Structure formats: structure tokens, C-alpha cells
Amino acid sequence: MMSSRIHICFLAVFLYASLTIIPTSSLGHSHICLSDDHVALFIFGDSFFDAGNNNYINTTFRANYYPYGETFFNYPTGRFSDGRIIPDFIAEFAKLPLIPAYLHPGYKRYADGANFASAGAGALVETRQGSVIDLHTQLSNFKRMKTLLKQEIVEAEAKTLVSRAVYMTSIGGNDYAIYTANSSLFQSYSPEEYVDMVIGNLTTVIKGMHKEGGRKFAFLYLGPLGCRPAARAINAGECDEEITALVKLHNKALFQVLQKLESQLKGFKYSITDIYSIGSQIMNNPLKYGFKEGKAACCGSGPYRGLRTCGVTGVNGSVQGYELCENPNEYVTFDTSHPTERTNLLYAKAMWNGNQSVTWPYNIKALVEQS
């Protein structure tokens, strides 16, 4: 559906594109008129937020095959979930259409926003370099998008839209996965030094977004990565304490740097959501939240279905042997590391209108409503 907050200056006809429903108006640069309270979403990060950008780059980090997408879209879109991801729900709450991947060849309606996230990406350029779109490159893509945005709406309107938009970012988990798997990195940097590098790179990109006109920012803490099925599968069902310690260091450092940026950058406002606490509670008490399974994945193989085989087929197209649950809504986690659509909805609700115990100093709803 088109947003009720946008007034279209022409008759729009809809078509069904390969990733989502996209208005034909988005295929060109026809001028549109925006209402005064229109707020766009610009989305950055990793597989938690990727709506399918990796479908268009040379990488193995893709979710463009069954059973990904089975719940809502009924086909794989490139999202690492059985259905919608967090940005999809945030767009819905903000009365926007779904924001497709920036690299989707049919999407040009940047007045609603754009999704630059890339599965496998990190804050560090070196994290899976050559196989993902790192955070710095995502910022470069945003700058290119701004130029195209000025063709879609007049320049003065574009400047206002960029400043009123909300910039959502989920990043860091892949940086720490690389660190814990690479003994040479582990020996070169202490955990504290490595976290400082990750946060330093993220800070540089945030400042770059601010320089480009961004003022409202929304972040996620890293979730309980050490307790995901992938970690339990290789730790006899226990959580990985090494990565858990890194996650806690990261979350603390992220909060501290955002406090500093608030005092350093003009007009800078932020929201941060503690999905570490939320995710831990859901995993440990699934029945309380309407789930049946909190530790094992819905899709995968091996202990806790923690081996990354979900949907993978052999060279000749044969299935390589993975298990798939009957109802993803009963599971907290869909594959080895990613939430089900239902869990994403809980996270999105916390981001959108959560109270100060889970989201602070603003929630996204408050950011959207601010002029």
C-alpha cells in the first residue's frame, strides 16, 4: 500500500516486483509531493536488516532460496527470516510501504527511504571483505542515493527529508564472529581493543551520516549471540561465554559513544533498544511470550539445528539434508542465527514504542513525531 502520509501528484499503478510490491512510479523519477510530516527510513547494517541487497552482489551470504520467506511473502526475498524483518515492521508502524533493497533494480522511490544493509557485513571494512557491502560502502551508497533523490523531489524538499528521516542501524555481530574464529586476530588485539576498533568505525560512519544531514538515529544493542543455536551446537548446548563477553563490551561502548555524540553533534538524537535483554528473556522463557522453543532453530541440522544448512541444496539441486519445523511462529529463532518473523515483530515493537526500560532516550515513534 502507498503511505497515507504521501500525496502523489500523479496516478500510481502498482505492479508486483520480485521482492515486494513496488509502485510503477518508483521505476522512474516523476516528481512527487510530500506532506509536511513525511518521515523516510534509511536502513544500514547486516543480515538483521538486509532486505535482499546480497541478491545483487557476488556472495554466498544469501537467503534467496526456500524456506526463507515462506511465512509472509510465500517466496524467498533475500531476508534472513521466514517472513518480515525488523525494518519491515517499523515501516508499517510509520505508515510507509516496505522499504526494498537499495540494489533492487526496480526501486527508485527514495522519498520513502532506502535499505542499504548487507548480510554478513560488519563495521570493519575487513570483515568478510569482498563478499559483503561493508558499513562504509553502505554510507557511500547513501550519498549516491541522495543525488538521485534530488531528481525525485526538489532539492529543498530533499534536504528537509534527509534531516527528518530516521537512520536505523544494526551492526557488529559479524565483526565479533570473525574475531572469535580467527586466532591471529585474537592474539593481535585484546577484546577491549577490538571492540574499540569496531565502535570507532561505527562512530566514523555515524558522523558521516550526520554530515550528510541525518539527525535522528536508531540502534540495536547486539542480541545474545553467544546463546543462538549456532553457538549451542558447538558448546554442548551451553552459551558461548567468549562472544557473550564481547557483546556486553560492545553494548556498553555503543551506549557511551552515543551519549558523547549527542553532546558533540548538532541536532543529534538517538534511540537504542536493548534486544540483548529482550532476546535473553524470550529464549529463556519462551512459553511466557507464546513460543514453544527458545533454544533450537526452526531450520537447520545437527544439535539445536545449529548447523548452517537451512535450505541449502547440493550442486545437482539435491537437498543436503536439513530439518524444518512445521510452524516457525512457535520458534524464537528461524535458522542458526536469525529470528523468526514473530520474534522480529517483538523486537520491532520494542524499538517503535518501547518504554525506557528497553528503549531510550527516545523510541522510534517519538523520533518520527519530532519535527
Side-chain angles (χ1 to χ4, degrees), residues 17 46 334:
D46 52 27
F334 183 63

Side-chain angles (χ1 to χ4, degrees), residues 341-364:
E341 178 184 82
R342 188 159 176 268
T343 305
N344 281 326
L345 175 58
L346 294 181
Y347 290 155
K349 285 180 175 178
M351 291 189 78
W352 176 252
N353 61 3
N355 60 36
Q356 292 282 312
S357 67
V358 293
T359 303
W360 66 89
Y362 301 97
N363 53 40
I364 294 183

Side-chain angles (χ1 to χ4, degrees), residues 74-97:
N74 297 315
Y75 63 95
T77 65
R79 292 165 171 84
F80 277 82
S81 175
D82 60 296
R84 288 163 289 185
I85 53 177
I86 295 170
D88 296 327
F89 290 112
I90 298 297
E92 178 183 328
F93 300 154
K95 296 182 174 59
L96 292 168

Side-chain angles (χ1 to χ4, degrees), residues 62-337:
R62 288 180 177 171
N64 60 340
Y65 47 83
Y66 178 85
Y68 291 105
E70 65 170 358
T71 299
F72 179 79
F73 299 97
N74 297 315
Y75 63 95
T77 65
R79 292 165 171 84
F80 277 82
S81 175
D82 60 296
R84 288 163 289 185
I85 53 177
I86 295 170
D88 296 327
F89 290 112
I90 298 297
E92 178 183 328
F93 300 154
K95 296 182 174 59
L96 292 168
L98 298 185
I99 310 298
Y102 168 71
L103 294 182
H104 186 286
Y107 184 65
K108 296 292 184 292
R109 192 182 165 76
Y110 303 126
D112 288 329
N115 186 321
F116 304 96
S118 171
L124 303 178
V125 174
E126 296 81 6
T127 295
R128 299 193 173 116
Q129 191 170 15
S131 296
V132 300
I133 309 167
D134 66 83
L135 194 59
H136 291 266
T137 303
Q138 291 178 34
L139 176 59
S140 297
N141 286 341
F142 171 77
K143 293 176 182 178
R144 281 191 280 272
M145 183 277 311
K146 274 184 64 182
T147 301
L148 297 173
L149 180 64
K150 292 172 184 176
Q151 300 172 24
E152 186 181 353
I153 57 179
V154 296
E155 187 166 350
E157 250 185 352
K159 184 177 180 180
T160 299
L161 183 143
V162 167
S163 67
R164 285 184 55 84
V166 174
Y167 295 72
M168 295 175 54
T169 303
S170 166
I171 203 77
N174 294 302
D175 298 299
Y176 300 119
I178 294 294
Y179 178 76
T180 55
N182 189 323
S183 59
S184 61
L185 269 178
F186 186 79
Q187 293 169 357
S188 301
Y189 301 100
S190 70
E192 291 78 9
E193 290 171 335
Y194 192 77
V195 169
D196 284 346
M197 287 173 54
V198 172
I199 294 295
N201 274 262
L202 174 56
T203 303
T204 298
V205 173
I206 294 170
K207 288 181 176 178
M209 294 176 187
H210 182 271
K211 185 178 180 181
E212 292 299 315
R215 293 297 181 266
K216 305 175 187 178
F217 297 83
F219 301 91
L220 288 174
Y221 270 174
L222 292 180
L225 305 181
C227 297
R228 57 190 172 175
R232 291 187 188 275
I234 58 176
N235 284 279
E238 300 298 321
C239 297
D240 185 328
E241 296 303 326
E242 182 182 14
I243 197 165
T244 296
L246 285 165
V247 165
K248 290 180 177 179
L249 284 173
H250 173 94
N251 290 345
K252 181 180 179 181
L254 175 59
F255 178 50
Q256 291 173 341
V257 80
L258 292 176
Q259 286 181 305
K260 290 180 182 177
L261 291 175
E262 186 178 29
S263 62
Q264 294 172 353
L265 302 180
K266 182 179 179 181
F268 181 89
K269 295 177 181 177
Y270 71 93
S271 169
I272 189 162
T273 302
D274 183 7
I275 68 164
Y276 180 87
S277 295
I278 300 170
S280 297
Q281 291 170 16
I282 297 172
M283 285 180 175
N284 293 328
N285 304 283
L287 295 178
K288 179 180 177 181
Y289 296 90
F291 297 96
K292 289 186 177 180
E293 178 57 57
K295 295 180 180 179
C298 168
C299 185
S301 61
Y304 299 91
R305 292 181 182 144
L307 302 183
R308 188 178 168 227
T309 58
C310 181
V312 175
T313 56
V315 176
N316 61 356
S318 62
V319 175
Q320 280 190 239
Y322 63 90
E323 299 172 4
L324 180 65
C325 71
E326 290 186 10
N327 185 2
N329 286 331
E330 296 178 348
Y331 284 70
V332 175
T333 310
F334 183 63
D335 64 9
T336 61
S337 304

Side-chain angles (χ1 to χ4, degrees), residues 3-7 32-40 156-157 160-165 216 367-371:
S3 168
S4 61
R5 310 176 93 190
I6 298 181
H7 305 288
I32 63 174
C33 302
L34 302 178
S35 63
D36 292 338
D37 62 351
H38 179 69
V39 175
E157 250 185 352
T160 299
L161 183 143
V162 167
S163 67
R164 285 184 55 84
K216 305 175 187 178
L367 290 180
V368 166
E369 291 173 349
Q370 291 179 6
S371 59

